[in-house]
Each structure stands twice: as structure tokens, then as C-alpha cells.
Amino acid sequence: MTIAEKNFAAAPGEAPLIDPFGRAVTYIRVSVTDRCDFRCVYCMSEDMNFLPKRDLLSLEELDRLCSTFVGLGTRKIRVTGGEPLVRRGIMTLFRSLSRHLESGALEEVTVTTNGSQLARHAQELFDCGVRRINVSLDTLDADRFRAITRWGDLGKVLEGVDAAQKAGLAIKINAVALKGVNDDEFPRLIEWAHGRGMDLTFIEVMPLGDIEAARVDQYLPLSLVRANLMDRFTLQNIDYQTGGPARYVRVAETGGRLGFITPMTHNFCESCNRVRVTCTGTLFMCLGQEDAADLRAPLRASESDAPLIGAIRDAILRKPKGHDFIIDRGTALPAVGRHMSVTGG
Ligand code: SAM
Ligand code: SF4
């Protein structure tokens, strides 16, 4: 039996997942691998120890896990990593998840990718029902791109963006704001993204995992970025929401949307609707806290989904109110030890 033929959705009538603060959990981000073909300076150190492959959930297990969440009211799944498109056979997962889009149980399956493998996967993603993707791109300068990603090739990513647009995928570009690295390029990024009909979102760097550089040297508050952009552009507040933490404005001069994700300067936890699952089946109820629940053991313990559902429900009851990120000279340690590539961005 292929994974697409199995139906793991929990029985109708399951109560939705509601956390202790009354927030409904309807969105999961699933990291399908901790590996990546880049080594972005804010995300990873150059020498990373990756998980042994035997610790990873198989694609069938990932499908079963996602489908169980769908049965518990998850409406949106974002596939991420590491770099999700480097996981071998990953299209099998997209293909099997598409049955939940067809049935209407899921509203959306999306991907966050560095774009390096996008040219060869874009059409198939579209064929599997994916309609929107996020591509991470911090600069349009090839040398700078190489310096930020250590190993990346800007040309390949731009080919991926072309292929994705040709396939009909809507793209949001995500750029991490890095002090002294790409902060002179923001107007150009805005004009480029909006000129191609893409949204653009700036992200504040978060203190996740040990990297070689000091976070405080990278960190650029978006309140400052926004103030500087207002010298050049007219930023109009708009009421646009994608279910994520970005707050959007319209840039009058380009007509495009610009988002700001500000985990540091503006905490958005009060409206958090999501949890994250790693490629080993560990459920993190908050990106910025250590508490986690192992879902792999209950998943493997039984053919029945009952132990898995019980573990998910117990974990949601422990979802914390929010994160406590700090970046300053006095705080040397990251807020949490794991890298963004483990929990999934
Ligand atoms: N590899 C894919 C990519 O780069 O899009 C998906 C995973 S990556 C961890 C997801 C997002 O997290 C990317 O947009 C990346 O720029 C962002 N990111 C990684 N480390 C970060 C950090 N410490 N602070 C803020 N954003 C970070
Ligand atoms: Fe890889 Fe994405 Fe992390 Fe860059 S941000 S190292 S592309 S996982």
C-alpha cells in the first residue's frame, strides 16, 4: 500500500487542540530534515553535526504524524527544515498530503526553502496542490550571497524563483536583516521583489543555537529598518494576515506588500496558533522554549493512533505563553541551544 492510499485522519468529532491560554492550534510546521546544502551564518556553524539518518522519521511516519494533526483540526502545514527539498523522496510526502487538500480537511500546504533545488521541484509542488511558498533570500549580490550562505549559489536560487513563478506558485521572499551585511540593500530588495509580484518580509535574527558569530553583531531591530525605509518609501498600514507572525504594510511607490517579523522588538506570541515538529518526531510547543514532547515513541508503539493523539493532547496542555528572547552584550548564551534548522523556521 502506498502512503497516499492510507488514511490516518482521526475520527470525526475529535475535539480541536486548544492550549491553556485559549489559543487553538491549527498550524504545524514540520521539519523534514536537519540537513542543508547551505550554512547560513546566522543559522548554522560551518561544522555541523547532523542527526544520524536512522533517527529520522520515515516519509510514511511523517505523513501519519501530519495526518493525525489534520484529524485534530490542523488547517495548515508548512514543510521546512533544514532544507526540505534536499530530503530524498520528499515529493512523496507532498503527494500524499495533497489528499487532505483535495478533501478540504487542509486549507494549505506550504514550504519554506532556500531555493537551491526549486527549479527541479517547482512544477511538482504545484501539481501536489502547493500554491504559496517562502523563499529565503537575504541579498541579490552573488558574492555577498556566498558570504552569507557560505556555500550557496545565487544564480541557482534565482533560477528556482523563475521556475516557481512559471509553475504558478506565489512567492514570498524572506530576508533576515543583518547589521552591516545587507542593510544597505533593503530598498533594492523591495523593488526587485515587488517588481516581480512577490511579497517580501524582513525577519529579525533570533538567538537560536550556537553559531560562530556573535548575535549582537548581527542583530538589527526592524523598528530601525522601518524608520529608515520611511525616508524613501511611503509605508501604508494594511489589514493583511497570512496566519503567520508578520505584520504587513503596503509600499505606495511599488504597490507591493512588505512584512516585518519582529520576535525581538514586538512579541507576537499572544496570537500564536502553531507548533513545530522536528524530523525525529519531537514536538516543540514554542520555537523559543526548551519544553518538548516525544511523538516518535507513541507513533511507533502502536498501529492505533490513540497513543499518538494522547501524547499530542498532553503536550498542547503545556504550550507556554511565549518566548523570552534576549540579544545583548550581557547575554552570551542563545535562548535555546538548538538551531533554527532543527526546529524548522
Ligand atoms: N532552509 C530553508 C530556508 O532557508 O528557507 C528552511 C529552513 S530555515 C531554518 C527557515 C527560515 O529561518 C529562513 O528564512 C532563515 O532565514 C530563517 N532563520 C534561520 N536562522 C535564523 C535565526 N537565528 N533568526 C532568524 N531567522 C532565522
Ligand atoms: Fe540552511 Fe535555511 Fe539554515 Fe540557511 S537558513 S543554513 S538555508 S536551513
Side-chain angles (χ1 to χ4, degrees):
M1 202 185 308
T2 68
I3 55 180
E5 286 163 335
K6 298 182 185 174
N7 187 358
F8 293 109
E14 277 284 354
L17 297 173
I18 310 281
D19 81 357
F21 303 94
R23 298 170 297 190
V25 174
T26 55
Y27 178 6
I28 57 168
R29 293 196 169 201
V30 185
S31 172
V32 295
T33 177
D34 63 333
R35 291 167 196 252
C36 187
D37 51 348
F38 292 1
R39 291 286 181 281
C40 301
V41 290
Y42 48 78
C43 178
M44 294 190 181
S45 58
E46 189 153 17
D47 271 333
M48 291 286 289
N49 288 321
F50 293 113
L51 294 161
K53 290 209 168 123
R54 63 176 181 279
D55 287 357
L56 266 55
L57 294 185
S58 67
L59 293 168
E60 287 82 357
E61 288 171 328
L62 282 167
D63 177 73
R64 182 175 164 202
L65 193 63
C66 290
S67 300
T68 303
F69 271 98
V70 172
L72 296 173
T74 288
R75 303 287 293 151
K76 180 168 167 181
I77 296 177
R78 178 172 295 281
V79 177
T80 178
E83 174 46 41
L85 300 184
V86 301
R87 172 134 187 199
R88 190 173 306 163
I90 191 62
M91 286 300 145
T92 318
L93 180 65
F94 286 104
R95 219 168 296 126
S96 65
L97 289 178
S98 70
R99 73 190 186 281
H100 299 303
L101 293 169
E102 281 157 21
S103 74
L106 256 185
E107 256 165 46
E108 205 176 26
V109 175
T110 55
V111 195
T112 301
T113 175
N114 65 21
S116 66
Q117 313 294 317
L118 197 50
R120 63 191 176 100
H121 290 308
Q123 186 60 51
E124 201 173 353
L125 285 171
F126 186 88
D127 295 343
C128 292
V130 175
R131 292 292 175 266
R132 295 194 306 145
I133 62 172
N134 289 356
V135 177
S136 304
L137 183 60
D138 306 319
T139 176
L140 290 168
D141 177 285
D143 293 335
R144 207 178 256 191
F145 186 81
R146 169 71 59 152
I148 294 173
T149 60
R150 290 192 181 104
W151 298 358
D153 175 351
L154 177 66
K156 279 223 175 84
V157 175
L158 295 179
E159 273 170 37
V161 168
D162 287 344
Q165 287 199 304
K166 189 156 167 248
L169 295 166
I171 302 180
K172 179 164 78 85
I173 300 291
N174 280 339
V176 176
L178 297 164
K179 187 162 68 185
V181 176
N182 62 353
D183 42 356
D184 58 342
E185 238 190 295
F186 295 159
R188 180 173 174 218
L189 273 168
I190 291 172
E191 277 156 5
W192 174 77
H194 290 176
R196 297 188 57 140
M198 304 185 290
D199 289 349
L200 170 69
T201 294
F202 291 125
I203 306 177
E204 282 173 349
V205 79
M206 289 177 266
L208 301 174
D210 263 329
I211 52 169
E212 277 115 18
R215 293 278 177 203
V216 72
D217 294 334
Q218 300 179 332
Y219 173 56
L220 180 61
L222 288 185
S223 45
L224 202 64
V225 172
R226 193 178 166 131
N228 288 339
L229 287 174
M230 282 164 75
D231 289 341
R232 175 138 174 192
F233 297 109
T234 316
L235 306 183
Q236 303 163 329
N237 286 322
I238 50 171
D239 198 19
Y240 174 72
Q241 281 291 334
T242 58
R247 296 200 300 175
Y248 284 90
V249 294
R250 186 169 302 284
V251 179
E253 288 75 6
T254 61
R257 276 189 296 249
L258 178 64
F260 296 91
I261 300 187
T262 54
M264 307 304 300
T265 50
H266 174 84
N267 186 317
F268 42 65
C269 304
E270 68 275 6
S271 58
C272 182
N273 59 350
R274 70 198 53 192
V275 291
R276 294 162 199 263
V277 186
T278 70
C279 55
T280 55
T282 304
L283 176 68
F284 283 98
M285 289 72 85
C286 174
L287 175 65
Q289 302 283 357
E290 299 285 7
D291 189 24
D294 174 29
L295 299 183
R296 187 176 56 184
L299 182 108
R300 289 185 175 169
S302 164
E303 297 244 309
S304 152
D305 289 331
L308 178 59
I309 291 173
I312 294 171
R313 289 200 181 283
D314 284 351
I316 298 300
L317 292 178
R318 305 203 308 268
K319 184 166 161 62
K321 196 166 179 192
H323 63 69
D324 325 286
F325 292 148
I326 303 173
I327 295 180
D328 63 26
R329 299 238 171 242
T331 313
L333 290 174
V336 292
R338 60 187 190 277
H339 292 87
M340 186 83 159
S341 52
V342 172
T343 330

